Amino acid sequence: MIVDSIKNAELYYSLSPRIKQAFDWLAKTNVSALEAGRHDIDGDNLFVNVMDVELKPREAAALEVHDRYIDIQIMVGETEEYGWSERCDCHSPREEFNRERDVQFFTDVPQMFFSLNERQFAIFFPEDAHAPMLGEGAVRKLIFKLLI
């Protein structure tokens, strides 16, 4: 997992050309004007989900993992809290891995919590179990999906 400010995004471009592509798209896009939903940047190779979500309490945290995609989650405004655990430490699956949706959820309690504020991002790799959408109120966020 990586947590940083958007102003430092170029530090991570060498990890995947799709990371640069995602942040280049972000720099030239008025995110506030976008409708919620999926927006293709490079088909299934790179797309972004724009979400307006109601946050939930920590007790409702559901850790999730992905096999085929890296997530870049970016706050547009306000603050969102996340839970995180190493995937190898998740032992209580809520369901089988859903290959079509590239997700599996766990009932394990996150090992740690952190917050993202406006103009900050987190990159979650397949090794990272993450529980997003925690806190109070409603937020707009972006979830870039980068095919590995």
Side-chain angles (χ1 to χ4, degrees):
M1 172 184 64
I2 296 169
V3 176
D4 207 336
S5 296
I6 290 175
K7 66 183 178 190
N8 298 323
E10 68 184 50
L11 297 172
Y12 309 102
Y13 291 175
S14 63
L15 297 175
S16 165
R18 291 190 177 107
I19 292 176
K20 180 180 185 327
Q21 193 177 1
F23 282 104
D24 285 349
W25 179 90
L26 179 65
K28 63 182 183 186
T29 303
N30 179 357
V31 177
S32 300
L34 290 175
E35 290 187 29
R38 178 178 164 149
H39 299 267
D40 286 343
I41 300 168
D42 184 18
D44 287 339
N45 294 318
L46 174 61
F47 59 93
V48 62
N49 288 317
V50 177
M51 301 177 68
D52 296 311
V53 296
E54 194 69 35
L55 301 177
K56 55 193 175 215
R58 278 187 179 186
E59 300 78 44
L63 289 163
E64 63 183 72
V65 297
H66 311 289
D67 285 347
R68 296 178 46 231
Y69 284 92
I70 295 169
D71 276 8
I72 302 177
Q73 300 204 14
I74 299 176
M75 289 305 305
V76 176
E78 304 302 322
T79 299
E80 178 181 7
E81 190 174 21
Y82 291 78
W84 177 88
S85 290
E86 288 186 78
R87 183 178 188 161
C88 63
D89 290 333
C90 293
H91 303 291
S92 302
R94 191 170 77 189
E95 58 200 25
E96 293 297 317
F97 193 90
N98 183 325
R99 299 222 179 277
E100 183 179 316
R101 293 184 53 229
D102 189 44
V103 69
Q104 183 176 28
F105 293 96
F106 292 85
T107 60
D108 299 79
V109 174
Q111 294 171 340
M112 65 171 275
F113 291 90
F114 67 94
S115 295
L116 286 183
N117 298 310
E118 186 172 12
R119 308 289 298 159
Q120 294 179 327
F121 68 91
I123 301 176
F124 298 108
F125 298 93
E127 300 81 18
D128 298 308
H130 52 286
M133 298 183 276
L134 305 176
E136 294 182 7
V139 297
R140 172 164 270 219
K141 65 182 291 183
L142 307 175
I143 303 175
F144 288 91
K145 305 294 279 185
L146 292 68
L147 186 66
I148 295 174

